[in-house]
């Protein structure tokens, strides 16, 4: 049986980033940019005031102080969004708001806090008292000081965060080319499964994998096409899987173990799928298969609700991220102190669900109770997976262990 690392490298070798498409900015968050963005305009497009205050000629304010203010005539008020037709001459000022274009003649702005009201002048114009000497360029934002026209601002391959989205808008791009969200088909298999809307019949259980998997796909940037429940019949499985072949990735759960009615593997084989991985030396999640069917990656995940989630985190998540052009694919792994004895040992790598907490800068990990692959609660209570190498003896409280922080963002 191959190891987790071997399985992951086989999977990633078969995953290619999708092509770029044009999307509205509202859909671009967390997506990978598929074009270089060169500035077509200066930002800001014109010199403007960084403060509410008075646009002046700096030379007029020479020696101004609260004790010896300079008195200037106010020509008009200039709100943001307006352009002045006037020119500020010697002894004159224009009351200017933040963001308004600097009027002709003025070379600096005195902020309102450094001014006071004076008497009216001989033309009955309002006067302003300037309490502070100003220098050329004070409180003026120059055209192009943030971005210069022609400059390469965003490079293909960056992940668009809110600042990059704002930058695209500032540069006049209502849309951008990004790697589109992968469409992922989800098929639950098993004669025992029922839709959650229906009343539970004897011997049946609710299909929870469909929901946890859809949530995972969404969390990691994909969109889902849910194909419902497939019964344990090969012809039916083949039909549903064929339908799913119009998507970018297929996830099935259940039906890949060694039971008489575990028919997913066989259905994929009869569809000429190339079986690349058949079982992985891990617990939970051993009966995972990975195949390429008609050019589409197919993950056949085990049916147990914990196995489904753990195998998703280990294998599907990085594949899905790579498809979106992302390069940070790993969850952070930290060293933690185990704070409870842990008896588990197997011939496979065991991923024990733990609660991780930081105390005085040190990580502490506590197993989340019974670890059966069907005990979804062990997952609900956890925010980490403790990695126990194969054949490691019982683990005593106080030793150092490796923990994958499953809720943290990916790292390089
Ligand atoms: P299987 O791999 O098909 O033998 O399934 C393993 C276990 O997982 C069985 O107990 C199934 O009933 C259970 N299981 C399979 N699919 C689901 C599902 N979609 N939701 C909840 N439990 C499931
Ligand atoms: Mg089954």
């Amino acid at each position: 049986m191959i190891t987790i690392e071997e399985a992951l490298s086989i999977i990633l070798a078969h995953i290619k980033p999708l092509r770029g498409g044009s999307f509205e900015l509202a859909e671009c968050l967390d997506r990978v940019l598929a074009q270089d963005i060169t500035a077509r305009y200066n930002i800001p497009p014109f010199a403007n005031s960084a403060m509410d205050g008075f646009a002046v000629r700096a030379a007029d304010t020479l020696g101004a102080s609260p004790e010896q203010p300079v008195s200037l005539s106010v020509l008009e008020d200039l709100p943001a969004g307006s352009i002045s037709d006037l020119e500020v001459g010697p002894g004159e000022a224009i009351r200017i708001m933040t963001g308004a274009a600097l009027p002709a003649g003025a070379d600096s702005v005195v902020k309102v806090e450094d001014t006071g009201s004076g008497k009216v002048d001989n033309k009955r114009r309002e006067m302003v008292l300037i309490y502070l000497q100003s220098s050329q360029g004070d409180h003026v934002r120059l055209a192009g000081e943030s971005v210069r026209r022609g400059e390469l601002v965003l490079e293909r391959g960056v992940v668009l965060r809110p600042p990059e989205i704002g930058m695209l808008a500032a540069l006049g791009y209502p849309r951008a080319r990004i790697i589109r969200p992968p469409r992922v088909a989800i098929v639950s298999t098993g004669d025992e499964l029922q839709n959650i809307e229906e009343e539970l019949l004897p011997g049946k259980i609710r299909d929870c994998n469909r929901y946890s998997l859809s949530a995972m796909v969404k969390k990691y940037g994909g969109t889902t096409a849910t194909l419902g429940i497939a019964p344990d019949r090969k012809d039916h499985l083949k039909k549903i899987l064929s339908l799913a072949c119009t998507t970018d990735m297929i996830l099935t759960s259940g039906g890949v173990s060694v039971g008489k009615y575990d028919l997913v593997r066989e259905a994929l084989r009869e569809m000429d799928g190339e079986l690349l991985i058949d079982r992985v030396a891990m617990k939970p999640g051993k009966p995972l298969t990975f195949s390429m069917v008609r050019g589409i990656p197919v993950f056949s995940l085990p049916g147990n609700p914990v196995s489904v989630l753990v195998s998703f985190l280990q294998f599907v998540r990085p594949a899905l991220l790579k498809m979106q052009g992302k390069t940070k694919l790993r969850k952070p792994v930290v060293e933690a102190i185990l704070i409870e004895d842990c008896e588990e040992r197997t011939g496979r790598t065991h991923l024990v669900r733990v609660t991780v907490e930081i105390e005085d800068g040190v990580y502490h990990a506590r197993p989340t109770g019974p670890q059966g692959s069907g005990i979804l609660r062990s997952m609900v209570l956890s925010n980490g997976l403790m990695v126990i190498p194969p054949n490691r003896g019982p683990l005593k409280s106080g030793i150092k262990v490796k923990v994958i922080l499953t809720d943290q963002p990916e790292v390089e």
Side-chain angles (χ1 to χ4, degrees):
M1 238 184 311
I2 60 171
T3 64
I4 296 177
E5 291 71 31
E6 287 164 343
L8 185 58
S9 69
I10 293 172
I11 290 165
L12 292 179
H14 286 84
I15 302 290
K16 283 194 223 59
L18 299 174
R19 300 209 3 219
S22 166
F23 284 78
E24 284 182 19
L25 288 194
E27 294 175 277
C28 289
L29 182 63
D30 284 337
R31 302 282 165 206
V32 169
L33 190 62
Q35 66 177 127
D36 286 338
I37 297 288
T38 303
R40 295 178 292 184
Y41 312 100
N42 279 331
I43 303 177
F46 48 86
N48 66 93
S49 179
M51 289 286 174
D52 293 324
F54 291 85
V56 300
R57 302 160 75 99
D60 283 354
T61 67
L62 199 67
S65 70
E67 296 73 36
Q68 288 198 310
V70 170
S71 207
L72 302 174
S73 305
V74 180
L75 302 181
E76 65 170 347
D77 286 0
L78 190 58
S82 305
I83 298 266
S84 178
D85 299 330
L86 305 176
E87 184 170 343
V88 177
E92 293 174 339
I94 284 180
R95 179 181 281 110
I96 193 166
M97 311 304 147
T98 307
L102 195 69
D107 58 16
S108 68
V109 171
V110 178
K111 57 184 175 143
V112 75
E113 293 86 338
D114 295 326
T115 66
S117 349
K119 301 200 187 77
V120 292
D121 68 6
N122 50 13
K123 293 186 192 157
R124 307 199 53 77
R125 285 186 309 198
E126 180 192 350
M127 300 284 282
V128 60
L129 300 177
I130 306 291
Y131 298 140
L132 189 73
Q133 179 175 322
S134 146
S135 307
Q136 275 189 15
D138 278 0
H139 307 305
V140 174
R141 303 191 281 216
L142 297 174
E145 74 173 21
S146 168
V147 170
R148 290 217 159 271
R149 176 154 28 108
E151 206 180 324
L152 176 63
V153 185
L154 299 173
E155 267 183 82
R156 173 194 299 263
V158 300
V159 178
L160 299 174
R161 304 167 307 160
E164 284 82 22
I165 305 269
M167 179 58 84
L168 285 164
L171 290 170
Y173 286 87
R175 308 175 71 85
R177 281 191 77 75
I178 52 166
I179 300 193
R180 67 178 171 84
R183 256 168 63 80
V184 180
I186 296 175
V187 183
S188 299
T189 77
D191 287 335
E192 74 279 33
L193 302 180
Q194 265 187 228
N195 288 316
I196 57 173
E197 298 81 8
E198 295 161 9
E199 196 169 331
L200 212 53
L201 299 170
K204 306 282 181 187
I205 58 166
R206 297 191 175 94
D207 171 13
C208 72
N209 291 346
R210 183 202 313 185
Y211 292 90
S212 50
L213 279 178
S214 306
M216 277 292 200
V217 167
K218 198 167 169 198
K219 184 173 166 79
Y220 293 102
T223 61
T224 55
T226 308
L227 296 181
I229 298 167
D232 291 317
R233 288 214 332 260
K234 205 166 52 184
D235 54 341
H236 209 118
L237 281 169
K238 280 163 70 178
K239 209 188 273 166
I240 288 195
L241 289 169
S242 295
L243 279 176
C245 280
T246 52
T247 60
D248 301 307
M249 182 188 278
I250 300 174
L251 306 180
T252 67
S253 75
V256 274
S257 205
V258 291
K260 184 172 172 198
Y261 301 101
D262 288 332
L263 301 168
V264 172
R265 192 183 284 103
E266 220 171 303
L268 290 169
R269 192 171 49 76
E270 288 182 16
M271 292 170 74
D272 295 326
E274 187 190 356
L275 184 66
L276 293 155
I277 294 172
D278 191 7
R279 301 184 209 296
V280 180
M282 67 188 262
K283 180 186 173 179
K286 176 172 78 167
L288 168 121
T289 79
F290 172 71
S291 349
M292 294 298 290
V293 182
R294 301 175 194 165
I296 297 164
V298 181
F299 291 86
S300 314
L301 308 172
N304 274 306
V306 174
S307 313
V308 140
L309 289 174
V310 171
S311 350
F312 185 102
L313 279 165
Q314 291 293 307
F315 304 115
V316 184
R317 180 192 54 78
L320 198 55
L321 293 174
K322 183 173 179 191
M323 240 182 202
Q324 296 167 72
K326 305 226 170 157
T327 52
K328 292 181 179 173
L329 305 181
R330 283 191 322 109
K331 287 288 187 188
V333 177
V334 296
E335 198 169 70
I337 296 176
L338 181 63
I339 52 174
E340 219 174 68
D341 289 351
C342 186
E343 296 300 324
E344 296 288 341
R345 68 190 131 153
T346 65
R348 306 172 249 157
T349 299
H350 194 174
L351 300 172
V352 177
R353 277 73 74 203
V354 293
T355 311
V356 190
E357 275 170 12
I358 295 194
E359 250 172 66
D360 298 331
V362 179
Y363 288 100
H364 292 77
R366 182 195 298 280
T368 56
Q371 295 286 313
S373 306
I375 301 177
L376 189 53
R377 221 178 138 71
S378 69
M379 212 57 204
V380 170
L381 297 172
S382 82
N383 61 353
L385 291 171
M386 172 165 76
V387 185
I388 305 183
N391 303 320
R392 169 94 200 234
L395 303 174
K396 290 282 167 219
S397 170
I399 66 159
K400 286 188 177 154
V401 290
K402 257 186 11 180
V403 177
I404 304 168
L405 300 180
T406 49
D407 286 352
Q408 294 300 312
E410 279 68 20
V411 292
E412 212 65 68

